[in-house]
Amino acid sequence: MTPAGRAAVVRAALLAVPVAFLAVFFAYPVTAIVGRGLREDGSWQLGRAAEILGDGDTVRVLWFTVWQAAASTVLTLVLALPAAWAFARLRFPGRRVLHAAVTVPFVLPTVVTGAAFLALVGRGGLLDDWWGVRLDNSVWAILLAHACLNFAVVVRTVGGLWGQLDPRQEEAARVLGASPRAAWLRVTLPALTPAVASAAAMVFLFTFTSFGVVQILGGPRNGTLEVEIYRQTAQFLDLPAAAVLTLLQLALVAAMLITQSVLARRRETALSLTDADRTARPPRGAAQWAVLGTVLTVIALLLLLPLAVLVERSLSVPTGGYGLANYRALFSTDGGTFAVEPWTAVGTSLRYAAMATVIALVIGGLAAAALARRGGGRLLRGFDALLMLPLGTSAVTVGFGFLITLDEPPLDLRQSWMLVPLAQALVGVPFVVRVLLPVLRAVDDRLRQAAAVLGASPARVWREVDLPLARRALLVAAGFAFAVSLGEFGATVFIARADSPTLPVAVARLLSRPGALNYGQAMALSTVLMAVCTLTLLVLERLRPPETETP
């Protein structure tokens, strides 16, 4: 067999398990639920689909989804771009700690962020207590929560590149007579444009498919496509409407990803990069100090204040004052919301997230190993794009699809606890691939070839060459997969059993019930979840190599 043929066989062997996993646990449930919704008596109900698409409520939900995502993206860029510059170009006390702190909301489950803003701007929240100001059930609460969640996306994506841009290029332009503004517009801004566009695309995607935040803060009048899919499926049992909305969301997300990929490819160019630590300087002049002060104020009010209020509300007791009553109530079933103590959700979530991480590492690791090998052409690039689809597909559809498809032998998993980790792993796989792929592609292929020439088998080449170089990235990928699995909500809310809820599901159920005890328990559980996610992030920060920036 020729070397090219042997490489193709190895690549096919690596892809076999990821392809089978995605086919069984993603494509099959999604197509099944869409087919069940659009087919009746063996024929496609295209007329029904056209009727749903033309319905005024569908148009209203689509319009709200698009414009709130656009507004959230603009607001996030306006608030986070100055922070990206400050972290990239300024050296100030506490810079590394704050850099890690702004990432905390991004790895938190959206349900927790929604609960934090509810404690700040909702009924009985901090602003309501002090000034009688309430923003819950309004679009402003949604926009602010989205900006809080995605602040780190802009800071990490744009700031990471900004810090590595060689400032001498802009200085050379000024020596040649350009004003500071002209030098920035003609030198720095074009270099940053791909990173800004990439960050904007990611923020738009995350807010376009928003579920947990809108579910908690939006109220009955404001709903995204994802929320409407959940309502049509779980509340109205209207599968045709849910199927049409799922296809509509999937088509729009695919169009966005393709457009962003094409535009980014056209704008990408070679840049002169340098060590990020060499470009940062202490603030100089009133203007730089003013920008730094504004950035710190925004971080304090937008990111840290809601989380601090969440902790404060978790310690508030109905009789007044502070104590641990809400935390002690987590060990009791007196509230009646669950058949088990709410505290058991902590152990359940950790167990599910650990298993989902193992699955995501195996599937994502094999996929990344196959994608990192040379050759493959468009088919391999198409599979790379396909791996991102679970992030843009309705998690509600995936969860409900699990229930109606994985109910017959040999895949009768309805009573199996593995159903939740499998759904969570679908979200973790894209993160694992995105973290591992650049590292594996950076490995010098001559090392693998030299090992093969010396007689090493493919497995030994991977163990002796790739694994040592990718070990740290593998740990980072495991951390991200664990964090996103811990916070997954859209699919889990459908398939989590009543006697074993996960933390996000438990928080959402407690918030949906009236009463001070349920509210206090929700705040306490959210605080516990925030602590677990923060601990995971701190471990990631210690594992991440200093020169690597991962959004």
Side-chain angles (χ1 to χ4, degrees):
M1 182 179 294
T2 63
R6 193 182 305 115
V9 171
V10 173
R11 188 185 302 114
L14 290 171
L15 285 175
V17 175
V19 168
F21 178 82
L22 289 176
V24 174
F25 297 112
F26 175 66
Y28 178 43
V30 172
T31 54
I33 190 107
V34 171
R36 183 168 295 196
L38 293 181
R39 285 176 67 89
E40 186 175 338
D41 299 330
S43 60
W44 292 97
Q45 303 297 313
L46 299 181
R48 172 68 171 142
E51 179 185 337
I52 294 169
L53 288 175
D55 186 78
D57 288 340
T58 302
V59 175
R60 179 182 57 79
V61 170
L62 177 60
W63 168 243
F64 177 78
T65 304
V66 172
W67 88 257
Q68 69 81 24
S72 296
T73 304
V74 171
L75 181 63
T76 305
L77 289 174
V78 168
L79 294 175
L81 280 177
W85 171 81
F87 283 114
R89 293 301 198 205
L90 298 183
R91 184 179 296 127
F92 52 89
R95 174 170 167 250
R96 286 185 178 275
V97 175
L98 273 180
H99 199 233
V102 300
T103 313
V104 171
F106 179 70
V107 300
L108 284 179
T110 55
V111 171
V112 173
T113 304
F117 273 83
L118 193 66
L120 180 64
V121 302
R123 178 191 294 274
L126 189 67
L127 298 185
D128 191 19
D129 288 346
W130 287 1
W131 300 302
V133 175
R134 287 183 55 192
L135 296 177
D136 56 326
N137 297 337
S138 77
V139 72
W140 284 108
I142 295 174
L143 299 183
L144 290 171
H146 282 164
C148 173
L149 273 170
N150 297 297
F151 195 88
V153 174
V154 179
V155 169
R156 294 270 179 170
T157 305
V158 181
L161 177 62
W162 209 333
Q164 289 186 284
L165 288 181
D166 193 343
R168 290 175 296 183
Q169 297 181 8
E170 191 173 318
E171 294 168 2
R174 295 187 60 184
V175 169
L176 294 174
S179 64
R181 182 173 177 273
W184 190 85
L185 289 175
R186 294 175 183 175
V187 177
T188 304
L189 182 59
L192 289 176
T193 299
V196 175
S198 177
M202 282 192 286
V203 175
F204 189 87
L205 177 63
F206 290 149
T207 52
F208 187 83
T209 58
S210 181
F211 178 58
V213 166
V214 180
Q215 180 77 348
I216 290 178
L217 297 173
R221 293 176 303 171
N222 302 315
T224 57
L225 279 173
E226 186 79 7
V227 173
E228 192 61 23
I229 292 169
Y230 174 76
R231 288 174 179 165
Q232 295 295 336
T233 305
Q235 297 178 6
F236 306 130
L237 301 179
D238 190 346
L239 286 186
V244 171
L245 294 177
T246 298
L247 287 177
L248 178 62
Q249 177 172 296
L250 189 59
L252 292 173
V253 167
M256 279 188 289
L257 291 174
I258 293 172
T259 303
Q260 191 271 335
S261 176
V262 172
L263 292 178
R265 197 176 302 148
R266 291 178 179 175
R267 300 291 300 183
E268 285 176 352
T269 182
L271 299 173
S272 176
L273 302 180
T274 186
D275 187 351
D277 287 337
R278 298 178 182 174
T279 63
R281 299 284 186 274
R284 292 177 296 182
Q288 290 193 359
W289 279 108
V291 173
L292 179 59
T294 303
V295 167
L296 296 179
T297 303
V298 168
I299 291 174
L301 295 179
L302 182 69
L303 278 69
L304 302 184
L305 180 60
L307 302 182
V309 173
L310 183 70
V311 177
E312 186 267 344
R313 295 291 150 163
S314 74
L315 295 171
S316 299
V317 295
T319 54
Y322 295 99
L324 298 175
N326 292 325
Y327 290 89
R328 284 195 293 270
L330 297 179
F331 295 90
S332 169
T333 59
D334 290 345
T337 305
F338 304 104
V340 296
E341 295 88 352
W343 181 256
T344 59
V346 177
T348 302
S349 285
L350 293 175
R351 188 171 68 253
Y352 286 171
M355 180 54 67
T357 302
V358 172
I359 298 172
L361 284 178
V362 172
I363 302 301
L366 289 173
L371 293 171
R373 305 182 80 83
R374 298 185 185 280
R378 294 182 178 177
L379 185 62
L380 211 58
R381 290 197 295 272
F383 182 70
D384 189 6
L386 190 66
L387 287 169
M388 298 298 292
L389 272 186
L391 290 182
T393 306
S394 167
V396 172
T397 300
V398 174
F400 194 55
F402 268 39
L403 287 182
I404 67 169
T405 56
L406 305 180
D407 61 344
E408 295 178 357
L411 282 175
D412 187 0
L413 301 176
R414 284 175 301 177
Q415 302 301 320
S416 172
W417 64 275
M418 279 296 295
L419 207 58
V420 176
L422 287 169
Q424 293 175 341
L426 281 173
V427 186
V429 167
F431 284 88
V432 172
V433 173
R434 293 274 77 83
V435 172
L436 284 181
L437 194 54
V439 177
L440 292 177
R441 280 177 173 165
V443 175
D444 192 340
D445 199 49
R446 290 173 298 183
L447 295 174
R448 301 189 182 105
Q449 295 173 5
V453 168
L454 293 174
S457 64
R460 186 170 182 183
V461 171
W462 180 83
R463 190 173 64 250
E464 301 292 341
V465 177
D466 294 87
L467 183 58
L469 295 172
R471 182 180 291 118
R472 184 166 291 182
L474 197 62
L475 293 172
V476 173
F480 272 106
F482 184 81
V484 297
S485 299
L486 202 61
E488 206 289 323
F489 176 62
T492 309
V493 70
F494 265 101
I495 55 182
R497 295 166 53 173
D499 58 350
S500 55
T502 63
L503 275 169
V505 172
V507 171
R509 286 183 186 173
L510 286 168
L511 286 175
S512 67
R513 287 176 169 263
L517 178 62
N518 287 322
Y519 180 78
Q521 286 180 307
M523 296 296 107
L525 267 185
S526 297
T527 303
V528 171
L529 187 49
M530 180 175 66
V532 174
C533 289
T534 303
L535 183 62
T536 304
L537 177 66
L538 291 176
V539 173
L540 283 177
E541 284 291 322
R542 292 185 62 85
L543 294 175
R544 188 168 55 82
E547 69 274 14
T548 302
E549 293 288 346
T550 306

